[in-house]
Amino acid sequence: EEGDASTLLGEAKGPNVLFSSTMTANFPLKLQVDKDHPFVSAISKITPSPDWITGFHDFSPIKDGYWYESFEIATFPFDVGTDSGKTYKSENIPTQPFSPIFELSPASISRDSPVFLKNNIVRPIGLYKFSIVKTCKQVKICKRHSSSREEL
């Protein structure tokens, strides 16, 4: 909630884990995926906010043995369950006990600040874009793919 990522960093260690505390809207980042490490996950805190995040997990950029040449993943807002604030400007209202992480829905978003709603539908708030910049000769490439909500 305060932006401290030490717990997350302590749990997410490994040669293919990348972390940046200065990531902005257009932050280029290189990562490696291969047949032994084919999944991509990302998480980002929405700032300022009570305890909102966005992200995705375990997306595999492979279909039928072919790697996507490029792909995009739209992400939606989630509530981490540590603060009961309902708007960007909410006072710190710790949730006791913490509640499970949940995806924000029209029913859970405050009518006082319907920032994520459009026509009573929660809209994507993030878009992660990926493209292959280097391959080995044996990699099979398929054409562009955009993920849909159902695939996430």
Side-chain angles (χ1 to χ4, degrees), residues 12-124:
K13 290 185 178 180
N16 290 331
V17 175
L18 301 174
F19 175 79
S20 174
S21 61
T22 60
M23 189 172 283
T24 59
N26 293 303
F27 185 85
L29 191 63
K30 290 185 180 182
L31 63 111
Q32 179 178 332
V33 291
D34 57 38
K35 65 182 177 82
D36 296 323
H37 306 93
F39 296 104
V40 179
S41 299
I43 188 170
S44 179
K45 180 179 182 348
I46 301 168
T47 303
S49 76
D51 62 349
W52 300 329
I53 61 170
T54 191
F56 64 94
H57 66 91
D58 296 341
F59 180 82
S60 179
I62 304 170
K63 184 173 184 177
D64 300 325
Y66 289 85
W67 290 85
Y68 294 129
E69 184 176 46
S70 64
F71 60 97
E72 298 176 349
I73 300 175
T75 60
F76 295 83
F78 285 78
D79 189 302
V80 176
T82 60
D83 190 307
S84 294
K86 298 290 184 193
T87 70
Y88 280 116
K89 296 180 180 182
S90 294
E91 295 295 321
N92 189 25
I93 309 167
T95 303
Q96 292 297 330
F98 293 159
S99 64
I101 296 172
F102 62 94
E103 186 172 356
L104 293 174
S105 68
S108 66
I109 294 174
S110 171
R111 299 295 175 226
D112 297 331
S113 181
V115 66
F116 301 123
L117 293 177
K118 184 174 183 180
N119 299 325
N120 207 38
I121 296 172
V122 179
R123 308 302 292 173

Side-chain angles (χ1 to χ4, degrees), residues 95-151:
T95 303
Q96 292 297 330
F98 293 159
S99 64
I101 296 172
F102 62 94
E103 186 172 356
L104 293 174
S105 68
S108 66
I109 294 174
S110 171
R111 299 295 175 226
D112 297 331
S113 181
V115 66
F116 301 123
L117 293 177
K118 184 174 183 180
N119 299 325
N120 207 38
I121 296 172
V122 179
R123 308 302 292 173
I125 60 162
L127 183 64
Y128 290 82
K129 296 180 179 185
F130 297 84
S131 60
I132 292 179
V133 293
K134 180 180 176 184
T135 65
C136 64
K137 293 179 183 178
Q138 298 170 330
V139 172
K140 299 181 273 184
I141 305 293
C142 67
K143 293 300 173 193
R144 181 184 176 111
H145 172 77
S146 291
S147 69
S148 69
R149 183 177 190 82
E150 291 76 33
E151 292 176 313

